[in-house]
Amino acid sequence: MTDNGESQPPLVRRLAAETVGSMLLAALVIGSGIAAQQLSPDQIGLQLVENAAATAAGLYAIILMVGPVSGAHFNPVVTVVDAAFGGLSWRDAAAYLPAQIAGCIAGAVLANLMFDRSAVSISTHHRASGSHLLAEVVATAGLILLIFALVRSERGERAPAAVGAYIGAAYWFTSSTSFANPAISVGRMFSDTFAGIAPASVPAFIAVQAVGGLVGYGLVRLFYPPTPTTPAQAAQVLLPHTDTAAAANGAAQPRLPGGVS
């Protein structure tokens, strides 16, 4: 329930949205990486430009697609922090996590197939150096701080553009190219391409992403102290997601922030 008494969409619908959104996100990241490799061979900097630009723009669109249904987490760290702030029940959070991981794995397979590659090819790209792990702490903490700062300052409608812009920029200012997401880290194991990550690197990435989530959670509490409405506001990550079924029965459809219906 949100603070105004409106119910969230049924859990099964939210899980479907998280699965599809995560699948599209992984397909976006990996597919654009494969395309960059093919279009700009031997030009790593240009490949990163192409991959980052596609990810930033595509993430903005995907959040708008499914955000009103599930909140567009796509990320176990975001889900856990949302639950910690009271915006999502721990039971629902536990259900979100496998949906996000399954979606990211499916997205990797989809990207491979779209570019006429083997459905599954295990990555050999090792990334777990000390500098990469530090970068993942920074990237994840920054993402959490961004999302919940917008929610707590009542600017949640800006989240799709802000998150896309942040991830696009973090491709460049972090040495790890900002995975910042345990589910996408797992999914990217299944594509031996520009965007892949070797399975041996994934446990360390997930561990430091969890650390980044804790740091981000602490920074949100420091900069935006809890208020009576904060837990309810947390339920609006990344976009308000109230059940619109009433609209089919003639009731007024809830409006998204900024006056968009």
Side-chain angles (χ1 to χ4, degrees):
M1 298 290 287
T2 62
D3 59 335
N4 57 10
E6 295 174 322
S7 62
Q8 292 184 344
L11 179 60
V12 65
R13 191 188 305 168
R14 286 183 279 137
L15 293 179
E18 283 295 295
T19 303
V20 171
S22 297
M23 181 183 70
L24 290 174
L25 174 61
L28 164 68
V29 172
I30 295 169
S32 62
I34 296 172
Q37 273 187 311
Q38 294 180 350
L39 294 171
S40 308
D42 303 319
Q43 299 181 65
I44 302 299
L46 184 55
Q47 290 173 11
L48 188 58
V49 169
E50 294 161 349
N51 193 204
T55 300
L59 181 56
Y60 171 75
I62 295 169
I63 292 171
L64 289 178
M65 265 186 240
V66 303
V69 181
S70 69
H73 294 188
F74 314 147
N75 186 332
V77 177
V78 174
T79 296
V80 169
V81 173
D82 192 17
F85 280 129
L88 188 69
S89 74
W90 286 107
R91 185 200 67 174
D92 286 1
Y96 269 41
L97 305 191
Q100 293 160 350
I101 294 169
C104 285
I105 294 172
V109 172
L110 179 61
N112 290 335
L113 292 174
M114 287 194 295
F115 285 89
D116 197 26
R117 294 171 175 254
S118 299
V120 173
S121 58
I122 302 301
S123 177
T124 57
H125 191 170
H126 292 276
R127 297 177 182 261
S129 69
S131 58
H132 287 152
L133 298 179
L134 174 60
E136 280 300 290
V137 174
V138 173
T140 309
L143 178 63
I144 295 300
L145 178 57
L146 170 64
I147 291 170
F148 289 93
L150 291 173
V151 171
R152 289 191 169 211
S153 59
E154 299 183 352
R155 296 174 293 159
E157 75 281 356
R158 301 183 185 181
V163 170
Y166 174 81
I167 293 298
Y171 264 61
W172 284 93
F173 81 78
T174 65
S175 60
S176 63
T177 65
S178 186
F179 283 46
N181 181 337
I184 200 73
S185 300
V186 172
R188 287 166 71 165
M189 291 192 305
F190 293 90
S191 185
D192 190 17
T193 60
F194 177 77
I197 179 172
S201 297
V202 171
F205 261 54
I206 292 175
V208 296
Q209 288 159 357
V211 171
L214 286 172
V215 173
Y217 174 81
L219 290 174
V220 173
R221 291 186 65 89
L222 174 64
F223 297 154
Y224 299 91
T227 67
T229 59
T230 292
Q233 288 174 329
Q236 305 306 305
V237 177
L238 288 169
L239 286 173
H241 43 290
T242 53
D243 198 344
T244 58
N249 298 322
Q253 183 171 345
R255 296 178 64 82
L256 297 179
V260 179
S261 61

